Amino acid sequence: MGEFELIRRFFTRPVRRAVLGVGDDCALLAPAPGMQLAISSDMLVEGRHFFADVDPRRLGHKALAVNLSDLAACGARPLAFTLALSLPRADAAWAGAFADGLMALAEAHQCELIGGDTTQGPLNICITVFGEVPAGQALLRSGARAGDDIYVSGTLGEARLALEALQGHLQLPPATLAATRLRLETPTPRVALGQALRGIASSALDLSDGLLGDLGHILAQSGVGACIDTRLTSALLTAGPGLDTELLRQCTLAGGDDYELCFTAAPTLRAQVEAAAAASATPVTRIGSIEAQAGLRLLGNQGQELLQRYASFDHFSA
Amino acid sequence: MGEFELIRRFFTRPVRRAVLGVGDDCALLAPAPGMQLAISSDMLVEGRHFFADVDPRRLGHKALAVNLSDLAACGARPLAFTLALSLPRADAAWAGAFADGLMALAEAHQCELIGGDTTQGPLNICITVFGEVPAGQALLRSGARAGDDIYVSGTLGEARLALEALQGHLQLPPATLAATRLRLETPTPRVALGQALRGIASSALDLSDGLLGDLGHILAQSGVGACIDTRLTSALLTAGPGLDTELLRQCTLAGGDDYELCFTAAPTLRAQVEAAAAASATPVTRIGSIEAQAGLRLLGNQGQELLQRYASFDHFSA
């Protein structure tokens, strides 16, 4: 047995939900009657999505977390996933730690590994995740209506702050760096909140590239515009004293790698949104509203319209 | 819009079978009542699974073909797939040709692209494919019984011959190289045969690493042994005169990259196997039989037992 075959065994676990798991040509899943299968694929590449020296346990967590976050954004309950892993060397210590981080998150969400592929090559992780959602109840990007409130879960911008510090662009106090780095390297997929928002949110997505850029997808697919009030978003990042206010605003509005949910709901449903947040133990903050006219307006500290546009993650450091 | 975003658009097509396709956080699939979903993931890495200068149209074909071959091995009907693609550069000509080859095969099998990911990084293609199979009817590796016949579809070894020639290990006449190279670069997934074998084959898998190595998976999972008669397998590779008989035998028994089906069936079902082959217009050849005692025996030209073991693809050139 080759070493890659040994490593493959780290990822072979018995399945409880799937009809058939790892070890045949295909895995077999049987969604319950009336359920639709929600499916998402994300590929993580060394140097682009993570640093070469990242803790493999955290990388295992993140690789699944970003996929679970897509299920959360659809309001789906996680069921299973496949893992395709390309490794430069058959490094059992690395692979074992990666598997530990991956499987701990998988078990926390009762999401089982049902298949995959392990090969030699530049470090690359591709996960495809499967969830189930009652037919017709998936949260989509296309449902926002003029007048809806806009919300985000949790906090925004810490991951970007950590990234900037790790790249040497700014200095953070050690405790702040450790805390923000945890957010960058072990994001929390908002799985319970997504399911609690079924029937309440009119649209939703998860924030991977930055709030304003990602919100743009909801606006485009719903054919609407939006107004975001930075007096409300400023509460989303309180990373401690000594940091430039404008930098914090950039990280909040366009930081990326947050894996929080952004969603819209009719103002008549504010109590239900609060109840969903409480039931899933996930803080949510109302940050603006959907408008009929296309475009994204930003309000400043005095309620004035800000002319500056905040670009998405890709262009932040350009 | 960035160039990678443009390339992403090559892969955005309207869906007819899926509830929701490319463009939201998840795709949505609703398997028909009574059907199970068959799922398989394969990752193709430059330098390991294909040469850097391969025709991108052929690479697009092969990336999906090797996944459809897994569905075929389970007897599943293709439904949909996701594509995660890492590209060193946003090369629109390359990506367009890749998409052409990929989509032509997808349309031939009515298998639609429902989601995925495009990113910058070393060339890496990860496809996860979805098919449907009536509950309980999937062809597994674990069903072979002592006395069953062993069959393979099509021919075996041309892909390996082409690989050896392309690596400079042997010379082939130009016409032979072109023909064998087509087998290496554009394998034919035996999708119709796989479905026709439901209820007939006792076990099945697809041949990616070489006949004897892959057959070993059926033997291990079924708890049986096998006897293969090289007087029967010799008909599987007729690559022309001037090639060493022993080389041809190695390519046939352990070549790899064939993407033919290997399956077992009770001798009482020979007429049904022939009918399935005819209905799917796929030649099949009986090459041996399953035995109760563990181990894999090989019979030579005079029916004598060959002591030599033929290793699998990975070790062939070692």
Side-chain angles (χ1 to χ4, degrees):
Chain A
M1 182 186 300
E3 290 181 73
F4 274 90
E5 183 57 33
L6 269 177
I7 283 177
R8 213 163 276 145
R9 300 230 167 163
F10 285 130
F11 303 104
T12 303
R13 311 277 171 111
V15 293
R16 293 180 297 265
R17 290 179 161 192
V19 180
L20 185 70
V22 172
D24 214 295
D25 294 280
C26 293
L28 295 174
L29 265 188
M35 300 303 251
Q36 292 174 339
L37 211 64
I39 299 167
S40 184
S41 280
D42 269 306
M43 180 178 268
L44 272 68
V45 177
E46 179 182 305
R48 181 151 182 92
H49 300 100
F50 57 90
F51 294 112
D53 63 351
V54 68
D55 176 349
R57 193 177 310 261
R58 290 188 178 185
L59 184 60
H61 173 102
K62 183 163 179 173
L64 183 58
V66 303
N67 278 283
L68 291 175
S69 183
D70 285 314
L71 291 185
C74 282
R77 185 174 74 111
L79 286 179
F81 68 106
T82 61
L83 166 71
L85 182 62
S86 169
L87 290 176
R89 297 171 309 282
D91 180 339
W94 191 96
F98 177 87
D100 282 349
L102 180 79
M103 292 304 192
L105 185 65
E107 279 158 29
H109 290 280
Q110 296 181 275
C111 185
E112 54 191 25
L113 179 57
I114 56 170
D117 197 9
T118 309
T119 185
Q120 191 179 5
L123 185 52
N124 183 308
I125 305 149
C126 183
I127 286 181
T128 302
V129 75
F130 310 99
E132 64 178 14
V133 59
Q137 291 188 34
L139 305 178
L140 305 183
R141 297 177 174 186
S142 50
R145 297 291 169 259
D148 282 355
D149 294 323
I150 302 171
Y151 298 86
V152 293
S153 65
T155 57
L156 296 184
E158 289 108 328
R160 185 55 183 247
L161 264 186
L163 181 65
E164 295 292 323
L166 292 171
Q167 289 180 325
H169 299 158
L170 59 84
Q171 289 250 321
L172 292 177
T176 306
L177 177 58
T180 56
R181 188 173 183 168
L182 261 182
R183 290 275 293 155
L184 173 67
E185 294 179 349
T186 59
T188 303
R190 300 301 192 180
V191 171
L193 176 63
Q195 293 172 74
L197 288 172
R198 291 199 302 238
I200 299 169
S202 55
S203 72
L205 51 55
D206 75 318
L207 298 175
S208 54
D209 294 338
L211 171 62
L212 298 190
D214 284 332
L215 177 59
H217 298 306
I218 286 183
L219 304 186
Q221 294 194 29
S222 300
V224 294
C227 180
I228 299 295
D229 192 332
T230 60
R231 289 167 297 189
L232 301 173
T233 58
S234 65
L236 295 171
L237 180 57
T238 52
L243 287 167
D244 176 61
T245 307
E246 182 54 26
L247 171 73
L248 293 181
R249 182 183 283 176
Q250 286 204 332
C251 286
T252 302
L253 297 180
D257 251 346
D258 297 302
Y259 300 101
E260 295 292 348
L261 296 187
C262 175
F263 60 96
T264 60
T268 52
L269 298 177
R270 282 183 189 172
Q272 284 91 326
V273 169
E274 278 171 35
S280 59
T282 311
V284 306
T285 304
R286 187 161 51 83
I287 59 165
S289 57
I290 296 292
E291 301 182 329
Q293 193 180 337
L296 180 52
R297 298 191 304 128
L298 268 182
L299 301 187
N301 287 340
Q302 278 77 44
Q304 82 282 21
E305 244 182 83
L306 297 177
L307 295 176
Q308 185 180 355
R309 284 295 301 269
Y310 293 85
S312 73
F313 187 84
D314 274 345
H315 312 288
F316 187 74
S317 31
Chain B
M1 181 186 301
E3 289 179 76
F4 274 90
E5 182 58 33
L6 269 177
I7 283 176
R8 214 163 275 144
R9 300 229 167 164
F10 285 130
F11 303 103
T12 303
R13 311 276 172 110
V15 293
R16 292 179 298 264
R17 290 179 161 191
V19 180
L20 185 70
V22 173
D24 214 296
D25 294 280
C26 293
L28 295 174
L29 266 188
M35 300 301 250
Q36 292 173 339
L37 212 63
I39 299 168
S40 183
S41 281
D42 270 306
M43 180 179 267
L44 273 68
V45 177
E46 180 183 304
R48 180 150 182 93
H49 301 100
F50 57 88
F51 295 111
D53 63 350
V54 68
D55 176 349
R57 191 177 309 260
R58 290 187 178 185
L59 184 59
H61 173 104
K62 183 164 180 174
L64 183 58
V66 303
N67 278 282
L68 290 175
S69 182
D70 284 314
L71 291 185
C74 283
R77 186 174 74 112
L79 285 178
F81 68 106
T82 60
L83 166 71
L85 183 62
S86 169
L87 290 176
R89 297 171 310 281
D91 180 339
W94 191 96
F98 177 87
D100 282 350
L102 179 78
M103 292 304 192
L105 185 64
E107 279 159 28
H109 289 280
Q110 296 182 274
C111 185
E112 55 191 25
L113 179 57
I114 56 169
D117 197 9
T118 310
T119 185
Q120 192 180 1
L123 185 53
N124 182 308
I125 305 150
C126 183
I127 286 180
T128 302
V129 76
F130 311 99
E132 63 178 15
V133 60
Q137 292 188 33
L139 305 178
L140 305 183
R141 297 177 173 185
S142 51
R145 297 290 168 260
D148 282 356
D149 295 322
I150 303 172
Y151 298 86
V152 293
S153 65
T155 56
L156 296 184
E158 289 109 327
R160 185 55 183 247
L161 265 186
L163 182 64
E164 295 291 324
L166 292 171
Q167 289 179 325
H169 300 157
L170 60 85
Q171 287 251 322
L172 292 177
T176 305
L177 176 58
T180 56
R181 187 173 185 168
L182 261 182
R183 290 274 293 156
L184 174 67
E185 295 179 347
T186 59
T188 302
R190 299 301 193 180
V191 171
L193 176 63
Q195 292 173 74
L197 288 172
R198 292 199 301 239
I200 299 169
S202 54
S203 72
L205 51 52
D206 75 318
L207 298 175
S208 54
D209 294 338
L211 171 61
L212 298 190
D214 284 331
L215 177 59
H217 297 307
I218 286 184
L219 304 187
Q221 295 195 28
S222 300
V224 294
C227 179
I228 299 295
D229 191 333
T230 61
R231 290 168 296 187
L232 300 174
T233 58
S234 65
L236 294 172
L237 180 57
T238 51
L243 288 167
D244 176 62
T245 306
E246 181 55 25
L247 171 72
L248 293 181
R249 182 183 283 178
Q250 286 206 330
C251 286
T252 301
L253 296 180
D257 251 346
D258 297 302
Y259 299 101
E260 295 292 349
L261 296 187
C262 174
F263 61 96
T264 60
T268 52
L269 298 177
R270 284 183 188 172
Q272 284 92 323
V273 169
E274 279 171 33
S280 59
T282 310
V284 305
T285 303
R286 188 161 50 83
I287 59 166
S289 56
I290 296 292
E291 301 182 327
Q293 192 180 339
L296 180 51
R297 299 192 301 130
L298 266 183
L299 301 187
N301 287 340
Q302 278 78 44
Q304 81 283 21
E305 243 182 85
L306 297 178
L307 294 176
Q308 185 180 357
R309 285 293 304 268
Y310 293 86
S312 72
F313 187 82
D314 273 346
H315 313 287
F316 187 73
S317 30

